Amino acid sequence: MPVMPGFLRHLFAPRWQHSDPAVRRQAIDRLDPADVEDRQRLETLTTDSDGEVRRAALARFDDPARLVGLLERGASRELHERLLALLIGRAGDTPLAFRLTLVERLNDPELLEAIALQGDNQDLRLAALARLDDEARLLTQACENGIAAVRQAAADILSLRADVKFVPIEHQLLFPCDAWRHNLIFEP
């Protein structure tokens, strides 16, 4: 099949493939994620070069499992934002039990840390915390998490680490989190 000259390709290309990001964003509203071909087009648009196109395409997905699958192919900031909103219960209506199973599949430390800090349920936060293994991220949870049980669980994980030792309490600072931050010594 011969290649069309640029102006003809521009005239006859589907709107979701248009060279103008604004036209692609408008085309997203006409794509139905329930239709197999449209869903594939939307998935293609989640990796678009334009961030607003990616965000608009991702907004059409309410199934966090599909977005976890997209995450495995490569993540953008917009994908992280949408998946986080769905997993922590800020968007969509995915049952907690299903969100828990998805969190148990995640390997993205940034996303797990955000879920542990912002999740709408203590069990969800604890499930995300259990997947974290970076001391700095665990320390953030121990100091900043809004749920005491999650803070305590993070502190317990840190205290079990063989490569972490504590400075005596008489050297700790006034605020507990500052004490944690300044008194943990990570030994190689």
Side-chain angles (χ1 to χ4, degrees), residues 108-146:
D108 184 311
E110 182 181 330
L111 192 55
L112 288 165
E113 181 179 29
I115 293 166
L117 281 171
Q118 301 173 41
D120 65 342
N121 178 280
Q122 178 177 310
D123 290 336
L124 184 68
R125 289 183 183 211
L126 289 170
L129 180 73
R131 306 275 303 147
L132 290 174
D133 61 2
D134 177 78
E135 284 89 0
R137 293 179 192 278
L138 288 166
L139 183 58
T140 297
Q141 298 299 321
C143 293
E144 298 175 10
N145 200 292

Side-chain angles (χ1 to χ4, degrees), residues 25-56:
R25 280 193 306 274
Q26 291 173 353
I28 288 170
D29 293 334
R30 295 186 183 111
L31 297 175
D32 178 10
D35 178 79
V36 175
E37 289 179 2
D38 282 355
R39 185 174 51 245
Q40 290 172 342
R41 292 175 182 125
L42 284 167
E43 287 179 3
T44 298
L45 289 167
T46 66
T47 61
D48 193 89
S49 60
D50 183 81
E52 291 304 314
V53 171
R54 290 191 302 269
R55 186 172 283 111

Side-chain angles (χ1 to χ4, degrees), residues 78-96:
E78 295 82 9
L79 177 55
H80 268 211
E81 290 170 1
R82 180 64 177 161
L83 187 53
L84 178 64
L86 291 169
L87 289 174
I88 66 171
R90 188 182 321 138
D93 58 357
T94 306
L96 175 62

Side-chain angles (χ1 to χ4, degrees), residues 147-182:
I147 297 178
V150 179
R151 286 193 308 271
Q152 184 62 51
D156 291 345
I157 293 168
L158 283 168
S159 66
L160 293 174
R161 297 283 171 103
D163 57 348
V164 177
K165 69 178 182 181
F166 295 90
V167 172
I169 196 157
E170 60 269 12
H171 296 287
Q172 290 187 2
L173 302 174
L174 183 61
F175 299 104
C177 284
D178 288 337
W180 269 86
R181 291 185 200 287
H182 295 289

